């Protein structure tokens, strides 16, 4: 809320182009990291394995004279470890961000936005179903307040020229008054927040199917009833959002429709399967700890046998 209101004040009291310039520089730097992290594994999997997996490593120590409570221990130990796929992805990302900074084309905006979503969902875990449900309910009211109760959300979304939203052209014919396409938009938060929840449900499906956490096998098949039901709910909620937006020709808080769809579909699936208690008590932290302890015991047993 503070960040959102701060951006609103910035656009209201400062030059819009200057604010967008500063934000564009920031998003290009962050986008560089997101694009590299997203496309490097793709290049590693489709390119020649022997070439793409060649590794480079450089580590240096830099002495400093700052107080320990400011700079920490001296020397600073810094290093970089990468492979050929990382380097190629980084160079391509630099070119991509440079072109995006100059053109701000909506398709490039969407590519960066999708990369932000993928990296966010991949690196963040809600931990428990209860935390996910509380987060969704809280953001449900947050979205309604800032969209229906104030002009803040709509003003920032329309004024901020950056990959914080996915853009959809309403028509392929540019507006004759300004030469630009008329766009509809979907905020990244309406993708990432439900994405966190769907990722949690996917891991719960794996837990129910007794798929081991360690070692992780991304390609092992298992039934995914909770993930598929919540994904269907998300699609229906998003379709409802677009329908209401088009019919009433007004901005809509997408989480108003997405939160009941995602929560309701997961609870309905649990009720049908008789697993409401298991779903409400599911915790990823406890599962990982138990799996780790089991692996340690197995290692100790194997060592004793040797």
């Amino acid at each position: 809320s503070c960040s959102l209101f701060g951006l609103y004040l910035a656009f209201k009291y400062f030059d819009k182009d200057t604010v967008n310039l500063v934000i564009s520089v920031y998003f290009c730097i962050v986008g560089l990291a997101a694009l590299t992290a997203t496309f490097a594994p793709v290049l590693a999997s489709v390119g020649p394995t022997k070439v793409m997996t060649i590794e480079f490593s450089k580590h240096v120590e830099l002495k400093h004279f700052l107080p320990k409570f400011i700079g920490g221990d001296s020397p600073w130990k810094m290093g970089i470890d990468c492979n050929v796929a990382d380097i190629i992805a980084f160079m391509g990302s630099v070119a991509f961000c440079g072109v995006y900074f100059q053109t701000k084309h909506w398709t490039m905006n969407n590519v960066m936005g999708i990369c932000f979503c993928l990296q966010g969902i991949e690196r963040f875990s809600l931990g428990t179903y209860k935390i996910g449900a509380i987060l969704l309910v809280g953001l449900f009211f947050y979205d309604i307040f800032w969209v229906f109760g104030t002009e803040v959300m709509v003003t920032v979304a329309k004024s901020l020229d950056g990959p914080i939203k996915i853009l959809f052209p309403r028509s392929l014919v540019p507006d004759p008054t300004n030469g630009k396409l008329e766009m509809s938009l979907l905020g990244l938060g309406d993708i990432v927040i439900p994405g966190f929840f769907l990722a949690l449900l996917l891991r719960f499906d794996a837990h129910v199917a007794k798929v081991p956490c360690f070692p992780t096998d991304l390609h092992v098949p298992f039934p995914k009833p909770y993930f598929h039901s919540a994904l269907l709910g998300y699609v229906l909620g998003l379709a409802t959002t677009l329908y209401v937006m088009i019919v009433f020709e007004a901005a809509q808080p997408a989480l108003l429709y997405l939160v009941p769809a995602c929560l309701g579909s997961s609870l309905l699936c649990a009720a049908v399967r008789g697993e409401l208690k298991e779903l409400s008590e599911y915790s990823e932290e406890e599962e990982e700890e138990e799996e780790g302890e089991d692996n340690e015991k197995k290692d100790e047993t194997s060592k004793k046998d040797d």
Side-chain angles (χ1 to χ4, degrees), residues 4 40 66 75 93 108 110 120 163 176 180 183 187 198 209 211 235 239 289 299 303:
L4 179 66
L66 296 172
S93 300
M108 302 184 78
N110 289 356
K180 296 182 178 180
M183 295 286 183
L198 264 68
V211 177
V235 172
E289 289 176 2
D299 292 339
K303 289 179 181 179

Side-chain angles (χ1 to χ4, degrees), residues 175-230:
D175 189 335
T177 59
N178 55 23
K180 296 182 178 180
L181 293 173
E182 187 178 1
M183 295 286 183
S184 295
L185 60 90
L186 177 68
L188 295 191
D190 300 326
I191 301 174
V192 174
I193 301 302
F196 292 153
F197 189 70
L198 264 68
L200 176 75
L201 292 176
L202 180 60
R203 291 189 286 270
F204 179 69
D205 282 325
H207 169 74
V208 173
K210 307 297 183 183
V211 177
C213 295
F214 306 104
T216 303
D217 184 358
L218 299 178
H219 305 289
V220 62
F222 60 91
K224 308 174 182 69
Y226 289 94
F227 174 74
H228 288 149
S229 61

Side-chain angles (χ1 to χ4, degrees), residues 50-290:
K50 291 183 178 180
V51 176
M52 291 297 175
T53 55
I54 297 175
E55 296 186 352
F56 301 91
S57 179
K58 180 65 176 179
H59 295 267
V60 297
E61 293 185 355
L62 182 64
K63 293 183 179 181
H64 69 85
F65 303 97
L66 296 172
K68 187 174 181 179
F69 69 92
I70 296 177
D73 294 329
S74 180
W76 288 330
K77 296 180 180 180
M78 297 180 290
I80 182 170
D81 297 285
C82 62
N83 55 32
V84 173
D86 294 326
I87 295 172
I88 295 175
F90 177 78
M91 292 190 295
S93 300
V94 170
F96 185 96
C97 290
V99 175
Y100 168 77
F101 186 80
Q102 295 294 327
T103 63
K104 299 293 179 65
H105 197 274
W106 67 272
T107 55
M108 302 184 78
N109 172 92
N110 289 356
V111 171
M112 291 184 69
I114 292 170
C115 288
F116 287 143
C117 292
L118 290 173
Q119 293 304 312
I121 294 172
E122 178 183 344
R123 297 171 188 277
F124 185 82
S125 171
L126 294 175
T128 69
Y129 181 84
K130 291 179 181 178
I131 291 176
I134 293 170
L135 177 66
L136 287 180
V137 171
L139 291 173
F140 171 83
F141 293 105
Y142 164 90
D143 213 19
I144 293 174
F145 171 75
W146 285 114
V147 175
F148 286 154
T150 71
E151 63 173 8
V152 173
M153 182 78 80
V154 176
T155 300
V156 171
K158 290 183 176 180
S159 300
L160 202 158
D161 190 10
I164 63 162
K165 54 200 173 187
I166 302 298
L167 300 173
F168 306 93
R170 292 187 176 183
S171 171
L172 297 178
V173 180
D175 189 335
T177 59
N178 55 23
K180 296 182 178 180
L181 293 173
E182 187 178 1
M183 295 286 183
S184 295
L185 60 90
L186 177 68
L188 295 191
D190 300 326
I191 301 174
V192 174
I193 301 302
F196 292 153
F197 189 70
L198 264 68
L200 176 75
L201 292 176
L202 180 60
R203 291 189 286 270
F204 179 69
D205 282 325
H207 169 74
V208 173
K210 307 297 183 183
V211 177
C213 295
F214 306 104
T216 303
D217 184 358
L218 299 178
H219 305 289
V220 62
F222 60 91
K224 308 174 182 69
Y226 289 94
F227 174 74
H228 288 149
S229 61
L231 182 60
L232 177 61
Y234 177 82
V235 172
L236 293 176
L238 189 59
T240 304
T241 305
L242 296 174
Y243 174 77
V244 175
M245 182 178 65
I246 292 171
V247 170
F248 292 96
E249 296 183 350
Q252 296 293 315
L255 293 180
L256 170 63
Y257 309 97
L258 296 177
V259 169
C262 292
L263 273 179
S265 59
S266 64
L267 290 173
L268 179 61
C269 182
V272 171
R273 293 170 58 88
E275 296 173 341
L276 277 171
K277 182 179 180 181
E278 290 84 350
L279 180 63
S280 63
E281 294 179 351
Y282 174 63
S283 174
E284 293 179 314
E285 288 87 349
E286 292 179 1
E287 182 183 14
E288 291 177 357
E289 289 176 2
E290 291 174 0

